[in-house]
Amino acid sequence: MAEVLALVEARLRSALGEPDARASITFLGTDRIEVLRFTEGDVVRYATLGMSERPMSDPTAVVADPLRGPRAELVLSVRAGLADTDKVLRPLAVLAASPQVEGLVVAPGASLDTGEPLWPGAPFTSVLVAEPGGLVEDLELDEPMEPVRFLPLLPMTPNEAAWKRVHGAAALQERWLSRGTDLRDPLRSAVLLD
């Protein structure tokens, strides 16, 4: 499956340019997860590489299919220079390993919780998984493999995450949009929730 990761990295490079840093983390019993950093102007993007090596499988399935099933990588975009966001590498790798570790299928609309701030001083401990296809196009693979989807992550404060559980992902995104929330601001406060 190394060829899948080579194709994924090529797609990331074609969409985001050359990475200016990369780190790899291996958790006991999982494949290696890399996080690549891309800087463009005042925006820094972190993309996982390794999550898509195997398809995500239904945790209730008796046997995981080695070819069929959704595949994804995670992409987080933040404004550069406002916080020590490079410390997000480990939390991102943990989220990317969650399908292998917890049997989780990561899809748009889901909340992923790290249990700790995404970086030092961050008001965010979780992220909302947004719809793919905007920043990095899906990567088609040979049948019967499903395409690799590049899922944007939107940092959420604990209050926003609780509000999202009650009202849903679409309502939270609409609230952010209507209030003009800068989701790339690594120091932003929670959107007004009433």
Side-chain angles (χ1 to χ4, degrees):
M1 289 299 160
E3 64 273 7
V4 169
L5 294 185
L7 292 171
V8 168
E9 184 168 354
R11 174 58 54 94
L12 286 168
R13 287 173 185 267
S14 70
L16 304 176
E18 287 299 310
D20 59 7
R22 67 191 308 145
S24 67
I25 298 176
T26 304
F27 302 100
L28 186 62
T30 67
D31 296 323
R32 183 178 73 187
I33 301 289
E34 290 189 86
V35 179
L36 283 61
R37 183 181 71 190
F38 301 86
T39 305
E40 180 183 347
D42 70 338
V43 175
V44 61
R45 293 187 172 90
Y46 302 93
T48 63
L49 180 62
M51 183 178 170
S52 62
E53 186 171 14
R54 299 174 195 228
M56 294 179 275
S57 59
D58 182 343
T60 62
V62 177
V63 177
D65 190 316
L67 295 177
R68 292 178 182 82
R71 294 174 189 261
E73 295 291 353
L74 308 175
V75 180
L76 173 69
S77 300
V78 293
R79 298 232 177 273
L82 301 177
D84 189 9
T85 56
D86 280 351
K87 301 288 190 205
V88 78
L89 301 179
R90 184 169 176 73
L92 264 184
V94 168
L95 296 178
S98 62
Q100 289 182 55
V101 175
E102 300 172 30
L104 184 68
V105 175
V106 177
S111 298
L112 301 175
D113 197 317
T114 61
E116 61 185 20
L118 293 178
W119 51 82
F124 318 108
T125 58
S126 62
V127 293
L128 174 65
V129 181
E131 290 291 332
L135 187 60
V136 184
E137 289 183 29
D138 292 354
L139 172 65
E140 297 293 330
L141 299 174
D142 293 336
E143 293 288 339
M145 294 187 285
E146 291 185 28
V148 176
R149 302 170 83 196
F150 297 88
L151 302 172
L153 300 180
L154 307 174
M156 293 188 293
T157 66
N159 285 347
E160 290 170 338
W163 198 85
K164 180 252 176 196
R165 281 192 292 277
V166 173
H167 299 282
L172 179 58
Q173 288 179 300
E174 178 56 39
R175 179 62 54 107
W176 282 334
L177 187 61
S178 68
R179 303 276 197 235
T181 306
D182 181 1
L183 296 174
R184 293 180 177 168
D185 181 352
L187 301 174
R188 75 171 179 84
S189 55
V191 69
L192 185 61
L193 304 168
D194 42 31

